[in-house]
PDB file of all heavy atoms in Angstrom:
ATOM      1  N   ASN C1660      33.344   6.668 -51.169  1.00  0.00           N
ATOM      2  CA  ASN C1660      34.688   6.356 -51.658  1.00  0.00           C
ATOM      3  C   ASN C1660      34.595   5.229 -52.684  1.00  0.00           C
ATOM      4  O   ASN C1660      33.503   4.747 -53.001  1.00  0.00           O
ATOM      5  CB  ASN C1660      35.626   6.004 -50.504  1.00  0.00           C
ATOM      6  CG  ASN C1660      35.154   4.798 -49.696  1.00  0.00           C
ATOM      7  OD1 ASN C1660      34.539   3.881 -50.229  1.00  0.00           O
ATOM      8  ND2 ASN C1660      35.451   4.799 -48.400  1.00  0.00           N
ATOM      9  N   VAL C1661      35.731   4.795 -53.208  1.00  0.00           N
ATOM     10  CA  VAL C1661      35.748   3.797 -54.284  1.00  0.00           C
ATOM     11  C   VAL C1661      35.106   2.488 -53.834  1.00  0.00           C
ATOM     12  O   VAL C1661      34.281   1.889 -54.547  1.00  0.00           O
ATOM     13  CB  VAL C1661      37.190   3.558 -54.776  1.00  0.00           C
ATOM     14  CG1 VAL C1661      37.250   2.334 -55.692  1.00  0.00           C
ATOM     15  CG2 VAL C1661      37.709   4.780 -55.519  1.00  0.00           C
ATOM     16  N   GLU C1662      35.466   2.030 -52.656  1.00  0.00           N
ATOM     17  CA  GLU C1662      34.922   0.764 -52.159  1.00  0.00           C
ATOM     18  C   GLU C1662      33.403   0.855 -51.987  1.00  0.00           C
ATOM     19  O   GLU C1662      32.666  -0.068 -52.367  1.00  0.00           O
ATOM     20  CB  GLU C1662      35.578   0.401 -50.835  1.00  0.00           C
ATOM     21  CG  GLU C1662      35.113  -0.943 -50.268  1.00  0.00           C
ATOM     22  CD  GLU C1662      35.787  -1.282 -48.956  1.00  0.00           C
ATOM     23  OE1 GLU C1662      36.386  -0.376 -48.328  1.00  0.00           O
ATOM     24  OE2 GLU C1662      35.718  -2.459 -48.539  1.00  0.00           O
ATOM     25  N   GLN C1663      32.922   1.945 -51.441  1.00  0.00           N
ATOM     26  CA  GLN C1663      31.492   2.117 -51.222  1.00  0.00           C
ATOM     27  C   GLN C1663      30.735   2.230 -52.539  1.00  0.00           C
ATOM     28  O   GLN C1663      29.632   1.683 -52.684  1.00  0.00           O
ATOM     29  CB  GLN C1663      31.246   3.360 -50.362  1.00  0.00           C
ATOM     30  CG  GLN C1663      31.738   3.228 -48.925  1.00  0.00           C
ATOM     31  CD  GLN C1663      31.744   4.557 -48.189  1.00  0.00           C
ATOM     32  OE1 GLN C1663      31.906   5.620 -48.801  1.00  0.00           O
ATOM     33  NE2 GLN C1663      31.595   4.509 -46.871  1.00  0.00           N
ATOM     34  N   SER C1664      31.311   2.914 -53.519  1.00  0.00           N
ATOM     35  CA  SER C1664      30.660   3.029 -54.824  1.00  0.00           C
ATOM     36  C   SER C1664      30.585   1.676 -55.528  1.00  0.00           C
ATOM     37  O   SER C1664      29.571   1.351 -56.166  1.00  0.00           O
ATOM     38  CB  SER C1664      31.403   4.041 -55.698  1.00  0.00           C
ATOM     39  OG  SER C1664      31.206   5.354 -55.236  1.00  0.00           O
ATOM     40  N   SER C1665      31.638   0.891 -55.419  1.00  0.00           N
ATOM     41  CA  SER C1665      31.624  -0.449 -56.007  1.00  0.00           C
ATOM     42  C   SER C1665      30.552  -1.316 -55.353  1.00  0.00           C
ATOM     43  O   SER C1665      29.836  -2.065 -56.028  1.00  0.00           O
ATOM     44  CB  SER C1665      33.001  -1.109 -55.863  1.00  0.00           C
ATOM     45  OG  SER C1665      33.988  -0.385 -56.572  1.00  0.00           O
ATOM     46  N   PHE C1666      30.442  -1.207 -54.043  1.00  0.00           N
ATOM     47  CA  PHE C1666      29.418  -1.955 -53.314  1.00  0.00           C
ATOM     48  C   PHE C1666      28.018  -1.503 -53.741  1.00  0.00           C
ATOM     49  O   PHE C1666      27.113  -2.323 -53.912  1.00  0.00           O
ATOM     50  CB  PHE C1666      29.597  -1.761 -51.811  1.00  0.00           C
ATOM     51  CG  PHE C1666      28.568  -2.473 -50.982  1.00  0.00           C
ATOM     52  CD1 PHE C1666      28.705  -3.818 -50.687  1.00  0.00           C
ATOM     53  CD2 PHE C1666      27.451  -1.802 -50.507  1.00  0.00           C
ATOM     54  CE1 PHE C1666      27.741  -4.484 -49.931  1.00  0.00           C
ATOM     55  CE2 PHE C1666      26.487  -2.452 -49.755  1.00  0.00           C
ATOM     56  CZ  PHE C1666      26.634  -3.800 -49.462  1.00  0.00           C
ATOM     57  N   THR C1667      27.838  -0.199 -53.924  1.00  0.00           N
ATOM     58  CA  THR C1667      26.550   0.337 -54.355  1.00  0.00           C
ATOM     59  C   THR C1667      26.179  -0.177 -55.738  1.00  0.00           C
ATOM     60  O   THR C1667      25.029  -0.555 -55.996  1.00  0.00           O
ATOM     61  CB  THR C1667      26.584   1.874 -54.353  1.00  0.00           C
ATOM     62  OG1 THR C1667      26.839   2.337 -53.030  1.00  0.00           O
ATOM     63  CG2 THR C1667      25.271   2.458 -54.850  1.00  0.00           C
ATOM     64  N   ARG C1668      27.142  -0.171 -56.656  1.00  0.00           N
ATOM     65  CA  ARG C1668      26.908  -0.710 -58.010  1.00  0.00           C
ATOM     66  C   ARG C1668      26.470  -2.169 -57.928  1.00  0.00           C
ATOM     67  O   ARG C1668      25.481  -2.568 -58.565  1.00  0.00           O
ATOM     68  CB  ARG C1668      28.185  -0.592 -58.830  1.00  0.00           C
ATOM     69  CG  ARG C1668      28.111  -1.204 -60.234  1.00  0.00           C
ATOM     70  CD  ARG C1668      29.509  -1.527 -60.750  1.00  0.00           C
ATOM     71  NE  ARG C1668      30.172  -2.504 -59.892  1.00  0.00           N
ATOM     72  CZ  ARG C1668      31.486  -2.705 -59.866  1.00  0.00           C
ATOM     73  NH1 ARG C1668      32.286  -2.002 -60.644  1.00  0.00           N
ATOM     74  NH2 ARG C1668      32.005  -3.624 -59.065  1.00  0.00           N
ATOM     75  N   ASP C1669      27.177  -2.970 -57.162  1.00  0.00           N
ATOM     76  CA  ASP C1669      26.852  -4.391 -57.055  1.00  0.00           C
ATOM     77  C   ASP C1669      25.495  -4.607 -56.384  1.00  0.00           C
ATOM     78  O   ASP C1669      24.742  -5.512 -56.763  1.00  0.00           O
ATOM     79  CB  ASP C1669      27.946  -5.130 -56.284  1.00  0.00           C
ATOM     80  CG  ASP C1669      29.258  -5.208 -57.047  1.00  0.00           C
ATOM     81  OD1 ASP C1669      29.260  -4.923 -58.265  1.00  0.00           O
ATOM     82  OD2 ASP C1669      30.285  -5.552 -56.434  1.00  0.00           O
TER      83      ASP C1669
END
Side-chain angles (χ1 to χ4, degrees):
N1660 60 32
V1661 169
E1662 182 180 16
Q1663 292 168 331
S1664 289
S1665 297
F1666 179 82
T1667 299
R1668 176 202 61 199
D1669 291 346

